[in-house]
Amino acid sequence: MTFMASIRKAVILAAGMGTRMLPATKAVPKEMLPVVDKPLIQYAVEEAVASGIEEVVFVLAEGKEAITEHFGHLSRVEAFVREKGDRDLLAQVRAPSNLARYEYVLQDRPAGIAHAVACAREFVEGEPFALIFPDDLIVSRTPCTAQLVDAYTSCGGSVIAVEQVTPEEVPSYGIVDPVGSGNPVRLKGLVEKPAAADAPSNLGVVGRYILGPSIFQHIERTPPGKNGEYQLTDALASQVAAGEPVCAYAYEGRRFDTGRPLGLLVAGVEVALCRPELREKLLPHLHRLTERSVTG
Ligand code: G1P
């Protein structure tokens, strides 16, 4: 029997405080910071939809109302544009609302990623689903989530996107322990943010996962871990310990950590360069700036 994956739902986590982007994130959710002319979270939804996802569950925290408004109908801006009768502009304002079906849940306290995922349980229970962190923006030929959906089909269990990280970066990532090589590769363990000396590999977890339906039972029985938070890495390690297939997948693409100023800045430049109408106008500026920095 061939194992065919059908992943219809995605959970998008948008409950973090965004402390690394203060003061920009004092009143504006970090997921609403723009890359060129769209907020980060819209890229996450577009990636999900381009990967076959039909329903998105947002896990939000207090103060993230701008996200609900962005994906909802009947915003102030929509009413204004409708009144003006500008059809093109109206289509742009409405685009985010029409990408998928949306559900919203509130995480009432910051208690870790596994806790945030558990908040979405009632909407995704009983089927595998994608998990996306919008501050990891990934530019790729095939959407990263679609790559993971394929890998899920061959793995038959949870799949985690990974990339190589340097020893200095190891303590900032979940690190996987693969069985041999291959892509996807089955795992015999995972550790959340180990010291470089204790890391089982140099493959760090990035913010894209396909989670098998048993994940909620494993989250339930996994105690708080690193930093006293409920860690998804530990719940995945529990799936591994139970003998379930769990795989890492080294995705094709470039990731930008937009939760930090430099990552957001570079993502903006790179995404702009992918848009022909902006590329032409941006390149002369970049040339001028690089020439100046070379000559001092
Ligand atoms: C989280 C996960 C970590 C993963 C990272 C990817 O950490 O706990 O395993 O490597 O996301 O972005 P955070 O960056 O939220 O501290």
Side-chain angles (χ1 to χ4, degrees):
M1 195 178 87
T2 350
F3 178 85
M4 275 302 291
S6 157
I7 314 286
R8 303 180 304 128
K9 297 182 181 180
V11 173
I12 297 187
L13 296 193
M17 291 288 263
T19 45
R20 289 175 307 195
M21 289 299 284
L22 281 167
T25 47
K26 189 175 171 191
V28 176
K30 62 173 176 169
E31 299 81 7
M32 289 300 291
L33 296 177
V35 164
V36 186
D37 52 6
K38 285 188 284 191
L40 279 166
I41 197 161
Q42 188 170 336
Y43 289 92
V45 173
E46 287 176 354
E47 178 188 318
V49 170
S51 307
I53 300 294
E54 296 160 8
E55 184 174 319
V56 171
V57 184
F58 294 104
V59 181
L60 305 178
E62 239 177 275
K64 304 274 187 170
E65 293 75 18
I67 295 175
T68 323
E69 182 156 358
H70 185 71
F71 291 100
H73 283 288
L74 304 174
S75 72
R76 241 174 335 108
V77 181
E78 184 171 332
F80 173 75
V81 173
R82 195 177 319 108
E83 199 128 297
K84 264 180 57 173
D86 185 332
R87 279 166 171 268
D88 285 349
L89 206 52
L90 190 59
Q92 280 180 45
V93 177
R94 282 187 170 164
S97 329
N98 298 329
L99 288 168
R101 285 195 307 280
Y102 302 120
E103 303 286 355
Y104 302 88
V105 289
L106 197 67
Q107 186 189 24
D108 59 2
R109 64 201 154 96
I113 291 171
H115 179 268
V117 171
C119 294
R121 182 172 188 160
E122 64 176 299
F123 297 106
V124 292
E125 179 109 69
E127 58 185 302
F129 59 95
L131 174 66
I132 300 179
F133 300 172
D135 43 10
D136 277 338
L137 176 65
I138 298 177
V139 174
S140 53
R141 282 191 298 272
T142 304
C144 184
T145 297
Q147 297 178 42
L148 294 192
V149 170
D150 263 4
Y152 182 84
T153 304
S154 51
C155 174
S158 295
V159 178
I160 305 158
V162 294
E163 66 179 34
Q164 290 192 5
V165 297
T166 63
E168 295 71 45
E169 290 168 331
V170 160
S172 307
Y173 288 87
I175 302 292
V176 300
D177 190 359
V179 184
S181 53
N183 199 27
V185 63
R186 185 127 175 210
L187 300 183
K188 55 176 188 282
L190 295 88
V191 196
E192 178 67 5
K193 300 178 179 155
D198 305 329
S201 76
N202 65 347
L203 294 175
V205 173
V206 311
R208 300 289 185 282
Y209 308 74
I210 305 292
L211 298 176
S214 75
I215 195 69
F216 294 111
Q217 281 100 62
H218 290 280
I219 290 176
E220 248 173 25
R221 65 171 93 112
T222 303
K226 195 96 190 174
N227 305 325
E229 295 182 342
Y230 292 95
Q231 299 294 350
L232 183 62
T233 303
D234 296 342
L236 286 157
S238 166
Q239 279 187 324
V240 173
E244 293 185 34
V246 174
C247 300
Y249 185 74
Y251 65 97
E252 169 280 314
R254 277 190 310 287
R255 176 183 65 110
F256 304 96
D257 177 3
T258 62
R260 295 169 193 270
L262 185 63
L264 185 67
L265 201 57
V266 178
V269 174
E270 182 120 4
V271 169
L273 288 174
C274 293
R275 299 213 340 212
E277 78 286 6
L278 288 173
R279 182 183 178 87
E280 214 177 289
K281 293 182 177 142
L282 180 57
L283 276 176
H285 288 288
L286 294 177
H287 285 311
R288 183 175 49 82
L289 292 171
T290 44
E291 265 162 33
R292 192 190 291 165
S293 65
V294 169
T295 56

